[in-house]
Amino acid sequence: MNLDFKIRLINNFRKFTSSKKNQKTNNSLQKGLIMCAKIKKIKETNKEENKIYLVTEIKDLKPISLSKAELTYVEKQKKDLESNFITVNRFGYWIFIQFLKKNDDIYLTLENCRKDGDKALNTLNNLKFSKIQIENLSWKKDEVICFAEGMALSNYQYLKFKSTNTKKANSLKEILVAAEIVSANEITELNNVVDAIYKCKDLVNEPPASMTAKIFAKEAEKMAKEVGIKIEVLNKTKIEALKMGGLLAVNRGSVDPPTFTIMEWKPAKAVNKNPYVFVGKGVVYDTGGMSLKPSGSMETMKCDMGGAAAVASALYLIAKAKLPVHVIGLMPATDNRPSGNAQVPGDIIRMYSGATVEVLNTDAEGRLILADALHYAKKYKPELVIDIATLTGAAANAIGRYGIVAMGSKYKNYMDDLKTSGWNVFERIVEFPFWEDFDELIKSEIADIKNIGGPVAGAITAGKFLEYFAEYPWIHLDIAGPVFLDKKDSYRGSSATGSGVRLFYDFIKNKSKK
Ligand code: BES
Ligand code: ZN
Ligand code: ZN
């Protein structure tokens, strides 16, 4: 058999099996939702049922009828053990007393509430509760909301591939909030946020075999349909016709075609004349391509579409809340693999913008597909473009999982607004320097620019590469650190975290008020 023919046979077989496989797994994507504990508002709590009282000081316990012995016990636990979550067993039901962990910084106080929500949730699941009542005795509105948010987000599990005998599904299904200051609308909003984060996590956690570019686009279509978002998916033929050279170059090593998904939320009474455009990196799997990654660094690379997943989920959430803001999402998607036809270091490619790029490392692929999307964004005359991407190990090395690395240009006040949102949802933004001096690091001898910058400032040179294609107010977010965790981080959990979704939602929500 001639070798070329043999390779074609193998490729065809892969196409066949992967499409079969995909049909099967496709239907069952987003199983995580089963675990989603619903939050409900109730008027008052049932007396003889499990509940958590939210209090600030001992004296807040006055309205509830603790016995003398119980009160002494609570005081002792609080003072001697410095415990802020105290359990009282009423033999038949349980009472939990959650003290507020106050900080001078309001954002830290609220984050403590979310973290305490996570801790409480673990206790409740260990006790196999299916529901819990929360009664507010002294907390402020946002504190109650954040506590419930921490609980609900923390309840996420990815159990799709667990067999019945190894599956340990969380028991908690209902979080009943008795707090006058929290409105029914705020509870609905909270459920929507949790739903969007669960969706985003499911997309990112899905294994590479069943998360091709096409499947990603299909999932985005499902989400768009549900909330009335206009969506268009450009297929390979269209991408070729447009000459999106960056996306096509990365896709050359793949047997699966690329996609370019465009979501548009354009409400009738939008507050903005020109749209906000979110651009998400959708590398559904990053092997590094011919510049192959060592296997250890490859293990988690299904997270490389975390940016695209965040954009789809954020738009879903924005539309679900019917925010009166015109927002567009662009999600270029492909996997990055070596093959007989893959691009190699030394290749020069022509991008969608017409610029030429010397590709010196095929593992710096995210910037290639994002550059085409950034050029595409120009046609909308955007008010602001924010791209979000698992772009560099350098960003993750610089600040770890603790925040999002940001940079940008011509962004007016928007960087400050985004930083404020970062504090609001505790997805903290760290702005890196973006001096002109860095420009020279991506200059190429033989093309317009090259796709790597050298040993220093890797996150910044990646940003500089993108800036070359961003001819409008623009911010770049590198989420390589926080997007996917090897160890649980409180309510964010482990594996996919949904990084960027709550951030974008808060940012657009604040715009809708202006
Ligand atoms: N997807 C990776 C970046 C990444 C690293 C994401 C760790 C999440 C966790 C990206 O495509 C990449 O490989 N970047 C290279 C760029 C380098 C070759 C200039 C990197 O950071 O090493
Ligand atoms: Zn890469
Ligand atoms: Zn990548």
Side-chain angles (χ1 to χ4, degrees):
M1 215 185 314
N2 121 353
L3 184 63
D4 192 41
F5 180 66
K6 205 166 158 190
I7 290 172
R8 243 182 303 147
L9 259 187
I10 294 171
N11 278 350
N12 283 343
F13 176 72
R14 249 222 68 192
K15 269 186 204 161
F16 172 76
T17 47
S18 72
S19 67
K20 277 269 169 224
K21 220 175 353 184
N22 296 344
Q23 276 168 12
K24 255 213 276 169
T25 37
N26 200 6
N27 304 336
S28 51
L29 225 77
Q30 304 190 1
K31 270 271 174 61
L33 276 181
I34 292 170
M35 267 69 62
C36 182
K38 272 267 162 258
I39 307 159
K40 291 180 186 157
K41 184 175 159 76
I42 53 170
K43 268 227 153 79
E44 51 195 45
T45 54
N46 261 336
K47 275 226 144 54
E48 308 219 325
E49 279 181 35
N50 304 319
K51 73 192 67 154
I52 301 175
Y53 288 111
L54 304 179
V55 299
T56 315
E57 308 169 74
I58 293 279
K59 72 172 174 28
D60 298 333
L61 291 165
K62 232 185 193 156
I64 63 171
S65 49
L66 289 182
S67 70
K68 224 179 180 160
E70 284 172 340
L71 192 62
T72 314
Y73 171 73
V74 171
E75 280 171 341
K76 212 169 147 40
Q77 289 281 307
K78 178 148 189 349
K79 217 164 150 202
D80 298 353
L81 298 177
E82 292 179 10
S83 167
N84 79 329
F85 186 71
I86 297 157
T87 306
V88 178
N89 187 349
R90 282 268 170 98
F91 300 101
Y93 66 100
W94 299 68
I95 290 178
F96 304 94
I97 298 168
Q98 176 74 64
F99 285 90
L100 183 71
K101 215 188 276 164
K102 227 182 165 46
N103 193 291
D104 289 341
D105 180 339
I106 170 78
Y107 299 122
L108 290 180
T109 301
L110 294 179
E111 180 66 355
N112 284 338
C113 293
R114 293 186 196 97
K115 285 182 172 168
D116 281 337
D118 161 71
K119 284 194 212 141
L121 179 93
N122 292 335
T123 306
L124 303 177
N125 275 324
N126 285 338
L127 291 167
K128 297 274 171 279
F129 290 178
S130 61
K131 63 177 178 183
I132 187 69
Q133 311 177 92
I134 299 173
E135 185 168 333
N136 182 32
L137 294 180
S138 69
W139 287 21
K140 296 197 182 97
K141 181 195 1 220
D142 287 346
E143 294 162 350
V144 180
I145 291 176
C146 286
F147 182 74
E149 182 181 41
M151 281 180 85
L153 289 178
S154 180
N155 209 32
Y156 176 87
Q157 292 176 291
Y158 189 65
L159 295 175
K160 193 172 157 180
F161 292 95
K162 283 277 189 193
S163 307
T164 334
N165 55 335
T166 60
K167 194 183 283 189
K168 289 202 178 78
N170 290 341
S171 56
L172 202 82
K173 300 285 175 280
E174 278 185 310
I175 300 167
L176 307 168
V177 181
E180 245 175 75
I181 42 172
V182 181
S183 72
N185 283 346
E186 281 158 340
I187 296 286
T188 305
E189 179 180 39
L190 195 46
N191 278 311
N192 290 347
V193 169
V194 174
D195 177 25
I197 292 283
Y198 274 45
K199 280 192 161 57
C200 183
K201 288 186 176 208
D202 280 350
L203 287 170
V204 177
N205 284 329
E206 185 72 15
S210 44
M211 185 44 72
T212 61
K214 264 191 176 170
I215 296 179
F216 174 78
K218 271 250 151 59
E219 291 303 315
E221 271 172 346
K222 274 194 224 161
M223 286 161 73
K225 225 183 215 155
E226 194 191 318
V227 292
I229 288 176
K230 190 172 127 199
I231 184 163
E232 187 185 2
V233 179
L234 310 185
N235 63 15
K236 188 172 181 183
T237 315
K238 187 77 210 250
I239 292 165
E240 279 170 341
L242 289 173
K243 298 200 174 84
M244 289 188 165
L247 180 53
L248 288 166
V250 176
N251 184 252
R252 262 179 58 185
S254 175
V255 296
D256 298 312
T259 55
F260 189 100
T261 300
I262 303 155
M263 285 169 104
E264 181 167 19
W265 169 246
K266 193 177 184 184
K269 285 191 183 132
V271 293
N272 51 334
K273 227 169 75 210
N274 300 59
Y276 295 96
V277 180
F278 295 140
V279 176
K281 171 178 172 182
V283 172
V284 289
Y285 194 72
D286 185 10
T287 68
M290 296 305 285
S291 313
L292 197 65
K293 286 181 185 295
S295 30
S297 326
M298 216 188 283
E299 278 171 12
T300 56
M301 278 304 131
K302 66 176 181 181
C303 80
D304 217 17
M305 36 65 80
V311 170
S313 309
L315 261 101
Y316 171 83
L317 183 52
I318 289 162
K320 207 163 183 183
K322 297 194 163 51
L323 295 184
V325 186
H326 184 191
V327 187
I328 289 167
L330 304 177
M331 290 144 279
T334 176
D335 49 342
N336 181 30
R337 290 180 199 255
S339 93
N341 194 42
Q343 65 168 344
V344 292
D347 266 334
I348 295 183
I349 60 175
R350 189 174 290 280
M351 308 292 283
Y352 178 44
S353 74
T356 56
V357 171
E358 184 184 9
V359 176
L360 290 174
N361 191 320
T362 63
D363 197 12
E365 84 298 338
R367 62 199 76 181
L368 300 179
I369 74 168
L370 287 170
D372 283 353
L374 289 174
H375 184 68
Y376 192 89
K378 194 177 161 191
K379 76 170 194 180
Y380 298 108
K381 300 191 172 54
E383 174 64 31
L384 171 75
V385 174
I386 307 179
D387 78 72
I388 180 162
T390 45
L391 205 61
T392 63
N397 289 338
I399 62 163
R401 67 186 193 181
Y402 305 101
I404 298 177
V405 167
M407 55 207 88
S409 40
K410 302 191 278 274
Y411 49 58
K412 304 181 224 168
N413 291 329
Y414 290 127
M415 185 64 98
D416 288 337
D417 296 348
L418 200 64
K419 284 178 183 169
T420 302
S421 287
W423 283 113
N424 285 340
V425 301
F426 223 74
E427 293 197 68
R428 290 166 292 185
I429 305 280
V430 182
E431 190 175 2
F432 274 20
F434 212 45
W435 305 308
E436 228 177 279
D437 312 51
F438 292 111
D439 287 338
E440 65 181 345
L441 296 177
I442 55 163
K443 278 191 182 139
S444 162
E445 293 269 323
I446 54 171
D448 298 335
I449 47 171
K450 56 183 180 179
N451 81 328
I452 49 170
V456 301
I460 298 169
T461 49
K464 280 288 168 188
F465 183 95
L466 299 179
E467 187 187 34
Y468 195 84
F469 301 87
E471 300 170 27
Y472 35 63
W474 162 75
I475 292 172
H476 160 58
L477 300 178
D478 195 329
I479 53 168
V483 76
F484 197 89
L485 308 179
D486 56 352
K487 245 180 31 231
K488 178 175 153 74
D489 176 25
S490 181
Y491 63 91
R492 287 185 187 80
S494 59
S495 306
T497 59
S499 184
V501 178
R502 289 160 61 244
L503 177 74
F504 281 170
Y505 178 67
D506 190 81
F507 178 79
I508 294 297
K509 189 173 144 187
N510 290 339
K511 293 285 153 280
S512 75
K513 290 175 189 158
K514 282 174 190 161

